[in-house]
Amino acid sequence: MQELAGAYQAFSLYDAEGLRKSGSGLTPSQARVIFTIGGTEGMTCKDIGDITLITKGTLTGVIDRLEEKGLVERWSVEGDGRKTIVALTRRGARIYDREFPRHVEFLKSKFDKLGAGDRKQATELLQKIRGLF
Amino acid sequence: MQELAGAYQAFSLYDAEGLRKSGSGLTPSQARVIFTIGGTEGMTCKDIGDITLITKGTLTGVIDRLEEKGLVERWSVEGDGRKTIVALTRRGARIYDREFPRHVEFLKSKFDKLGAGDRKQATELLQKIRGLF
DNA sequence: GAATGTATGTTCTGGTAAGAACATAAAATA
DNA sequence: TATTTTATGTTCTTACCAGAACATACATTC
């Protein structure tokens, strides 16, 4: 229980460090959004929130900042005036193409050290733990 | 890797909910500090940060708010002018005595559902994961 | 088809969060 | 001992975080 927080914290710091050093200028939350909508035609805020686990109130601000940077754009869905589509701009797509594989590799190189058996076990246990709550 | 974030997130929401419903008025970070220095004669900010994993810049603010609420007090160490001791006031100690066992039980009741074997495995794996970074 | 309920997104608030710059104090070393 | 290095804590900045209140818009129910 202390271990869960410690492991997440360590991962999270490493994750943030990798993004910082990449020079992309993306924060962890911004990267999660970019990496989520990359390769799609755009997604609603609801769906982005469900995947990234960022609550809607927070997500508005994260997307605001990505929009200011010119990495994403928003438009509303015709047919359902409640929904907003968020999609990468051309610039956002370039960042995604460059940073996504790089960052995945950056993380993978660490998790690979765990060994296939441990990785499988960890995945199962973490899913169980999540299911507890 | 997604699983780690998901499990931590779920735990963390449950943890926060328990504190909120307890009526203690403690935020998760504030509770971590109270639960850390409870039962001691006071600790330095450095040591509190090492245990709670709260960075020093953040910790100052958390302790400020606890001090405003009258739950902790600060004084400087004679002999080493850099250090500050943070300790529970009488009111803080009352909160600690009431909330700490209650909250531990609140969390334990969930983790107990995991079974002893899984708990042991999870602990080991999470320590390994932490050690990766 | 009007009243009620649900879904989606924004805004607002209080409180972290990490990192950088700073101030001070102690320790190490030249 | 004077200088440099390290330790500790505060302050500042930017961003995130969850939850609550809000505004719209769609869906239900009668």
Side-chain angles (χ1 to χ4, degrees), chain A residues 1-44:
Chain A
M1 134 159 74
Q2 183 67 21
E3 286 78 14
L4 181 57
Y8 175 73
Q9 171 96 340
F11 161 74
S12 170
L13 281 175
Y14 181 73
D15 180 59
E17 187 197 3
L19 291 168
R20 207 157 351 97
K21 288 189 178 165
S22 76
S24 63
L26 295 174
T27 66
S29 295
Q30 289 168 12
R32 261 186 296 166
V33 170
I34 295 289
F35 295 169
T36 298
I37 63 180
T40 77
E41 296 300 308
M43 295 176 60
T44 63

Side-chain angles (χ1 to χ4, degrees), chain B residues 64-108:
Chain B
D64 283 348
R65 267 159 241 126
L66 287 173
E67 200 176 24
E68 284 164 19
K69 290 183 188 173
L71 302 184
V72 307
E73 54 192 341
R74 276 190 260 223
W75 65 82
S76 50
V77 171
E78 49 184 327
D80 191 339
R82 294 169 298 184
K83 295 182 179 168
T84 300
I85 297 290
V86 182
L88 295 182
T89 59
R90 211 158 331 195
R91 246 184 93 204
R94 268 204 304 279
I95 301 270
Y96 170 74
D97 290 341
R98 192 178 63 228
E99 297 303 330
F100 183 62
R102 188 215 296 247
H103 196 64
V104 168
E105 191 45 48
F106 176 74
L107 298 180
K108 206 163 110 37

Side-chain angles (χ1 to χ4, degrees), chain B residues 9 20 44-46 56-57 60 74 82-84:
Chain B
Q9 171 95 342
R20 209 158 350 95
T44 63
C45 291
K46 169 84 168 71
K56 58 185 181 177
T60 297
R74 276 190 260 223
R82 294 169 298 184
K83 295 182 179 168
T84 300

Side-chain angles (χ1 to χ4, degrees), chain A residues 60-76:
Chain A
T60 297
V62 174
I63 294 174
D64 283 348
R65 282 175 286 273
L66 287 173
E67 201 175 24
E68 284 164 19
K69 291 185 189 173
L71 302 184
V72 307
E73 53 192 343
R74 279 190 257 222
W75 63 82
S76 50

